[in-house]
Amino acid sequence: MATMLVRGGMPLIGKIAVSGAKNAVLPLLAASLMATDGKTRLESVPKLNDVTTMLEVIRHLGGNINYIDDEIEIDCQNLNGNDAPYNLISQMRASVLIMGPLLGRLGKAKVSLPGGCAIGTRPIDLHLKGFGLLGADIVVGHGFVEATAERLIGNTIYLDYPSVGATENIMMAACFADGVSIIQNAAEEPEIVDLACFINCMGGRVDGAGTDTIVITGRSAFRAPYYRVIPDRIEAGTYMMAAAITAGDLVVENVIPEHVVSVIAKLREIGVAIEVLGDSVRVVGNGNILPVDVKTLPYPGFPTDMQPQMMALLCRGQGTSMITETVFENRFMHVPELRRMGAHIRTEGRNAIIKGVANLSGAPVAASDLRAGAALILAGLAAQGVTEISGVTHIERGYADIVRKLQEVGADICKK
Ligand code: UD1
C-alpha cells in the first residue's frame, strides 16, 4: 500500500495551478450519456481516480472514449446497457449520477447502491423522490435500485435539503420529461451551474441554476457539446490553506475567485493576507493564526469539503476555535489522526472545539477519506518531523498531481 511522506517546516513559495473540478467533471461525464448525436469533447479534465471510475461506467454502458492529456472525447450515440455494476458504483458515490440521464434517455436505469467516501450514511432518497415525481417507478432491491418510466412528465419537485447530487440527477432526468419541471430548494453550487451550462450547450433548456429554483424545459434529443470544465474550488482552497499553515507565499492560479469567497473571508479573519489577481489568488501567511468559528453550509456557505483542511489550520491557531459540521453527520474522522500529531481537539456531536498548539509533530496517520487526507497533508507540512500518511488512494480520488504540485512550491513530500 502506497504512503505519502511529508517532512514539515518548509514555507510554500511560488505558483501552483489548480486543475479542473472533480465535482464538476463527474456530473458532466454522466450528462455526456444524454447525447445521441456527435461526440462530447471535454477540456481541462483532471487526472483523478474518480474520473477513471466514471469513464469505466460509461464504457460499460457502451460509450466509446478517447482520453488524451487533459481532454476527453466521448461517443455515447450507441448505448447498450442501462445498469451500473457494484464493483464500479461501490468505488464512487457520484456514479449514481448516471441514473438521471439513463432514465431519461432509455426509460430505465439500474445501479447498485453507491459507495464513496465514508462520510456518513449519504442516502439517495431525494434523488429517487425526484424521479418518482417525474413519473418513474422505483424499486429498491437488495443492494440495487431501479427506476423505470415509459415517459417522464414534467413536475414541481421540492427538495427537503439542497442536495448537490439530487439536484444534478433530477435536472438531467427532467431534461427528457414532457413539459416543464421545477426544482425548488435546489442546490446552488457552482458545479450545478456548470452542469446547466453544459446541458444548454447540448441544446437543452435549464434556467435558474445557481439559485434555489431551477426550471427545466424538456427536450427529446441532445447533441454532444464541446466544453471546458471549471477550476476546482476545493483544490484551490486546499492550496490556499497550505500557504497559510506553512507561513508561505503562494499564488494559486486558475481560480474563479467568487467560488472561494467563504474560504477567503475565513482566511482573512484568521489573519492571512489575500490578494485577488484576476483568476489567481495570492495567499501570504505570517505564522499567526487567529482562532475563528466556522460552520459548514450548502453553497455559498463554507464548504464541508474544506472543513478538515480548516481544522488542520486551526490546530495551529493562537486560541480556541470551533467548527460546526452541518452537512454530513459523520465527518470528523480526521480528528483522531490530527490528535496523533499533537492536536488538541474535542468533539461534541456536530461541533469540534480546537485548542491551538504551538507545534504539531509528525506521526504515522491514515486518511479515511479524500478531504481528511488533504487535512493530514496540511498538518504534515506544518509539523516537526515526518508524517507518513496511508490511505493515499483516497487523496488521489480528488487531487490531481498533488505531490508534484506541492514539491514545485518547496514542500518536502513524496509518495512511497
Ligand atoms: C457533493 C460533493 C461532495 C460534497 C457534497 C456537499 C460531488 C461528486 N460530491 O456530494 O464532495 O461534500 O456535495 O457539498 O459533487 N442527502 C440525503 N438524501 C439524498 C441526498 C443527500 O439525505 O438523497 C444528504 C446527505 O446525506 C448529506 C447532505 O444531504 O448529509 C448533502 O449531500 P449532497 O449535497 O447530496 O452531497 P453529494 O451530492 O453526495
Side-chain angles (χ1 to χ4, degrees), residues 22-24 26-27 50 92-94 97 119-128 161-168 187 189 191 233-234 297-299 303-305 326-329 331 350 370-371 397:
K22 168 180 95 71
N23 287 353
L26 296 175
D50 275 11
M92 182 184 67
R93 175 182 167 79
L97 292 174
I119 42 176
T121 49
R122 301 184 81 176
I124 56 165
D125 55 314
L126 299 173
H127 304 230
L128 302 180
Y161 185 89
S163 153
V164 174
T167 302
E168 292 166 342
E189 269 69 1
E191 294 77 18
R233 63 195 167 96
I234 306 301
L297 288 168
Y299 190 85
T304 174
D305 284 352
T326 76
V327 179
F328 289 109
E329 81 279 12
R331 200 169 198 177
R350 287 180 174 242
L370 166 57
R371 308 303 172 185
R397 286 187 46 213

Side-chain angles (χ1 to χ4, degrees), residues 35-376:
T36 48
D37 181 21
K39 294 177 185 176
T40 296
R41 268 181 66 197
L42 276 176
E43 260 186 17
S44 192
V45 176
K47 283 228 161 7
L48 299 171
N49 293 350
D50 275 11
V51 169
T52 312
T53 305
M54 189 59 107
L55 292 177
E56 274 179 54
V57 173
I58 294 172
R59 267 197 202 99
H60 171 87
L61 296 167
N64 271 318
I65 293 159
N66 208 351
Y67 191 177
I68 301 168
D69 297 329
D70 68 346
E71 268 194 52
I72 298 186
E73 202 176 67
I74 307 170
D75 182 347
C76 286
Q77 293 176 86
N78 300 306
L79 296 182
N80 55 23
N82 52 29
D83 69 314
Y86 177 73
N87 68 323
L88 296 176
I89 296 276
S90 62
Q91 287 176 42
M92 182 184 67
R93 175 182 167 79
S95 36
V96 78
L97 292 174
I98 63 167
M99 278 196 92
L102 290 182
L103 173 64
R105 176 170 165 180
L106 306 173
K108 184 170 173 181
K110 183 176 176 185
V111 298
S112 296
L113 289 170
C117 276
I119 42 176
T121 49
R122 301 184 81 176
I124 56 165
D125 55 314
L126 299 173
H127 304 230
L128 302 180
K129 178 180 164 190
F131 297 152
L133 284 167
L134 293 173
D137 293 320
I138 310 290
V139 176
V140 181
H142 294 290
F144 74 91
V145 55
E146 186 176 86
T148 46
E150 260 174 44
R151 270 172 61 211
L152 295 174
I153 314 282
N155 202 349
T156 296
I157 296 145
Y158 173 80
L159 294 180
D160 297 320
Y161 185 89
S163 153
V164 174
T167 302
E168 292 166 342
N169 229 344
I170 295 165
M171 192 197 291
M172 290 187 278
C175 281
F176 291 90
D178 289 347
V180 173
S181 300
I182 302 173
I183 307 178
Q184 297 172 329
N185 198 27
E188 299 176 33
E189 269 69 1
E191 294 77 18
I192 305 278
V193 178
D194 208 38
L195 176 61
C197 290
F198 181 86
I199 291 172
N200 290 341
C201 287
M202 300 177 96
R205 174 86 196 267
V206 179
D207 297 301
T211 74
D212 62 3
T213 306
I214 300 178
V215 181
I216 303 123
T217 308
R219 296 271 189 269
S220 53
F222 297 87
R223 59 176 182 269
Y226 179 38
Y227 200 79
R228 187 175 177 85
V229 182
I230 53 168
D232 196 309
R233 63 195 167 96
I234 306 301
E235 188 191 5
T238 302
Y239 294 141
M240 288 161 65
M241 292 202 182
I245 202 168
T246 63
D249 182 349
L250 270 189
V251 176
V252 185
E253 298 179 323
N254 193 29
V255 181
I256 298 177
E258 65 250 42
H259 291 176
V260 287
V261 160
S262 60
V263 174
I264 290 177
K266 279 294 155 189
L267 283 175
R268 284 193 171 133
E269 222 177 300
I270 282 171
V272 178
I274 303 213
E275 210 183 331
V276 176
L277 313 152
D279 65 353
S280 299
V281 178
R282 182 174 175 203
V283 185
V284 184
N286 61 11
N288 295 324
I289 296 166
L290 302 176
V292 293
D293 290 345
V294 180
K295 186 191 254 188
T296 65
L297 288 168
Y299 190 85
F302 190 88
T304 174
D305 284 352
M306 288 300 307
Q307 178 263 107
Q309 301 90 312
M310 179 56 109
M311 191 179 296
L313 180 59
L314 295 176
C315 286
R316 294 287 316 280
Q318 294 155 345
T320 301
S321 303
M322 181 153 91
I323 292 185
T324 306
E325 173 58 59
T326 76
V327 179
F328 289 109
E329 81 279 12
N330 186 19
R331 200 169 198 177
F332 284 147
M333 262 114 58
H334 40 289
V335 168
E337 304 305 306
L338 289 170
R339 280 195 197 123
R340 292 168 63 78
M341 300 178 71
H344 281 202
I345 308 167
R346 189 162 50 85
T347 56
E348 285 174 8
R350 287 180 174 242
N351 296 322
I353 297 105
I354 305 128
K355 198 168 156 218
V357 293
N359 289 306
L360 295 171
S361 40
V365 288
S368 54
D369 62 78
L370 166 57
R371 308 303 172 185
L376 296 175

